[in-house]
Amino acid sequence: MSQREHFGSRFAVIAAMAGSAVGLGNIWRFPYVLGEYGGAAFILVYVAASLFVALPIFYAESVIGRRSRLDTYGAMRKLAPGSAWKWAGLLTVVSPLLILSYYSVVGGWSVEYLFKSLSYSFTGNSTEAEVQNFFPQFISSTWQPLVSHTIFMAMVAGIVLGGIKKGIERFSKVAMPLLFVLIIVILAYAISLPGSFAGVEYLLKPDFSRLSADAVAAALGQAFFSLSLGVGTVLTYASYVKKDENLMVSGVETAVSDLVFAIIAAFAVMPAVFAAGIAPGSGPGLVFQTLPFIFNKMGQGMPLLSYLISISFFVTILAAALTSAISMLEVGVAFLVDEKGFKRRSATLLLAFCTWLIGVVCSLSFGPLSEVKLLGLTFFDFLDKLCSNWLLPLGGLVFTLFVGWRMKKADVHDEFTNAGSCNRRTFPIIYILIRYVAPIGIAIIFLSSLFL
Ligand code: TRP
């Protein structure tokens, strides 16, 4: 086998890991989940879930990945030879591809919205009604969303083809700083909108009466999704991290960037939602319906500013979605390359094609196939529920149990502390979180999916 690639620098590790974490989950999913569960109080639970449950799982995956320097299946096989754990590893090769198939459909929406904003469709002479009707019309049509889905998937495959250093690392190093700059510009714009204050207030005043068990499970599920946990993304990226990097530090940096980004995005989106008079709990269309409306309204007074902001906004969503999507594809590519002797090129093309195909069905499930239901859900919703409520927590459980109960404590210690040279004091706490707290948190997600 050829020499395994490595991320070239500390910054590259953070850019790639945070690139995977910061994505549609932050800009598209977080605001509407937050809106459904009542604002500020949800943020508090979310922060706690990220730190006490999600971060330990992140560490469990990092330890397995860097210890084995292999893909998810190979890692389990190598660290627990002759056991059935490798089949659990195989599951986590399949699940990121399932996520990618519908993620790419939403990524495609952002491609279309970017084209629309470039061609003045939101800020030109369109009426408010036209802009508001655009979203439902667009997603339920047959061809347009398929074209965008195809373009998005082609970009993902293009970056992954380049490999770790020349593809993933290079793209993430440019995209991540850009994302932070753009989202702050958008934030400043959003809070200057008339009527936006109600949105800021919504995010700052906790209403604990709306915090149900359901909200706790939703916060955990969102933390999982947002940190890319449970499907071997972190594990695979960690397998490209050099032995002298401090895993604890890169985990904290990733989690903090992800949290900060989610909160800034919420403060950029919610004021706009209130300024547009849209209900914060109106579901997955929230970002795509609200922002064009705002751009259109402002366009009447300040056409150039609103034009530029609308472009920046959709560039932000697209870049964030891309850095996440490449991490999902990489899990399967690493598996085929490490285990099955594939060339990187054929592995990437094959998997991108299969995922694209499943994505086609997801995309059509908003239109021509909307009547086809699995357990009462459209195909898109079914896949999202299957992944978010079942596969991600299941994968997270596998990884924490593996590190907490199957691996030797001495090996976990050795990997996490770089052979005893750092993190020695924090290790006992992290170990307890991995062994007990995180699995219990995951059990809560499962029980709530079963009974709520
Ligand atoms: N975390 C990304 C986001 O917030 C999405 C993502 C990337 C992901 N890799 C993942 C989600 C693996 C779940 C599992 O958009």
Side-chain angles (χ1 to χ4, degrees):
M1 201 173 26
S2 60
Q3 182 69 36
R4 194 173 178 78
E5 278 196 271
H6 281 300
F7 288 122
S9 63
R10 269 201 51 158
F11 178 64
V13 173
I14 300 306
M17 294 250 187
S20 167
V22 173
L24 293 170
N26 304 57
I27 312 173
W28 162 73
R29 203 170 187 276
F30 186 61
Y32 83 76
V33 175
L34 178 76
E36 282 170 7
Y37 292 98
F42 183 84
I43 300 189
L44 297 179
V45 182
Y46 176 69
V47 172
S50 303
L51 296 181
F52 297 113
V53 181
L55 194 56
I57 302 174
F58 190 98
Y59 288 142
E61 285 198 37
S62 313
V63 164
I64 305 176
R66 200 177 60 169
R67 186 94 191 148
S68 63
R69 292 195 162 158
L70 284 171
D71 60 286
T72 54
Y73 173 86
M76 298 290 199
R77 205 199 44 207
K78 179 167 168 187
L79 298 179
S83 73
W85 283 96
K86 60 176 186 283
W87 301 113
L90 196 60
L91 166 82
T92 62
V93 172
V94 178
S95 38
L97 298 174
L98 290 180
I99 302 179
L100 180 57
S101 67
Y102 70 89
Y103 201 84
S104 168
V105 172
V106 183
W109 298 349
S110 64
V111 172
E112 172 69 18
Y113 271 67
L114 178 59
F115 284 143
K116 283 267 164 209
S117 37
L118 282 169
S119 64
Y120 283 99
S121 305
F122 298 133
T123 46
N125 294 324
S126 319
T127 64
E128 283 175 11
E130 276 166 358
V131 171
Q132 273 197 320
N133 289 335
F134 176 71
F135 182 72
Q137 272 166 10
F138 164 64
I139 61 168
S140 60
S141 60
T142 304
W143 294 108
Q144 235 178 335
L146 283 185
V147 173
S148 329
H149 162 56
T150 310
I151 297 176
F152 184 82
M153 194 61 100
M155 292 196 264
V156 174
I159 301 170
V160 173
L161 274 180
I164 301 305
K165 276 220 174 83
K166 294 214 184 90
I168 294 177
E169 173 174 328
R170 189 150 51 157
F171 183 74
S172 308
K173 276 187 351 198
V174 179
M176 289 315 292
L178 179 75
L179 276 181
F180 273 88
V181 173
L182 286 178
I183 197 80
I184 287 170
V185 172
I186 295 159
L187 172 77
Y189 174 76
I191 50 182
S192 72
L193 296 172
S196 67
F197 186 70
V200 175
E201 206 176 39
Y202 181 79
L203 293 170
L204 291 180
K205 271 208 189 135
D207 172 6
F208 289 102
S209 66
R210 296 197 46 188
L211 268 193
S212 52
D214 198 17
V216 175
L220 278 169
Q222 172 64 24
F224 256 80
F225 189 89
S226 196
L227 268 180
S228 312
L229 298 174
V231 305
T233 308
V234 178
L235 191 160
T236 306
Y237 271 14
S239 75
Y240 303 120
V241 172
K242 290 202 187 114
K243 287 286 179 194
D244 56 358
E245 295 288 347
N246 186 330
L247 289 180
M248 187 172 85
V249 173
S250 45
V252 169
E253 285 174 351
T254 307
V256 169
S257 327
D258 187 54
L259 262 179
V260 169
F261 197 93
I263 291 171
I264 300 181
F267 275 92
V269 172
M270 265 317 154
V273 169
F274 278 80
I278 290 174
S282 47
L286 193 67
V287 165
F288 289 98
Q289 273 170 312
T290 306
L291 284 135
F293 180 80
I294 295 292
F295 298 142
N296 177 262
K297 224 173 178 178
M298 300 315 285
Q300 292 154 7
M302 295 176 282
L304 183 64
L305 180 66
S306 149
Y307 178 68
L308 294 177
I309 295 275
S310 69
I311 293 172
S312 335
F313 187 77
F314 293 110
V315 167
T316 309
I317 300 198
L318 179 60
L322 280 172
T323 52
S324 299
I326 53 184
S327 73
M328 301 182 203
L329 189 57
E330 180 60 28
V331 176
V333 171
F335 167 73
L336 289 182
V337 171
D338 288 346
E339 303 298 318
K340 303 284 163 205
F342 272 62
K343 290 239 161 20
R344 186 169 189 88
R345 192 182 165 76
S346 28
T348 308
L349 294 178
L350 175 72
L351 293 179
F353 177 74
C354 299
T355 335
W356 173 83
L357 211 56
I358 307 174
V360 168
V361 185
C362 292
S363 177
L364 294 177
S365 77
F366 286 100
L369 300 182
S370 63
E371 291 309 313
V372 181
K373 299 268 165 79
L374 288 166
L375 302 177
L377 298 167
T378 63
F379 193 66
F380 182 98
D381 289 338
F382 174 78
L383 268 191
D384 183 35
K385 285 265 151 24
L386 175 71
C387 294
S388 314
N389 296 1
W390 297 100
L391 297 181
L392 301 190
L394 187 64
L397 191 61
V398 166
F399 295 135
T400 48
L401 293 181
F402 189 79
V403 173
W405 301 87
R406 164 76 215 215
M407 281 177 75
K408 284 203 202 85
K409 187 171 177 186
D411 289 345
V412 180
H413 182 271
D414 185 63
E415 197 60 46
F416 192 74
T417 60
N418 294 353
S421 64
C422 56
N423 311 333
R424 281 202 309 271
R425 288 233 191 91
T426 37
F427 177 77
I429 304 171
I430 303 285
Y431 197 63
I432 291 175
L433 291 174
I434 293 182
R435 226 166 128 97
Y436 303 103
V437 179
I440 293 172
I442 299 170
I444 296 181
I445 305 190
F446 276 136
L447 291 176
S448 72
S449 311
L450 279 177
F451 297 115
L452 293 178

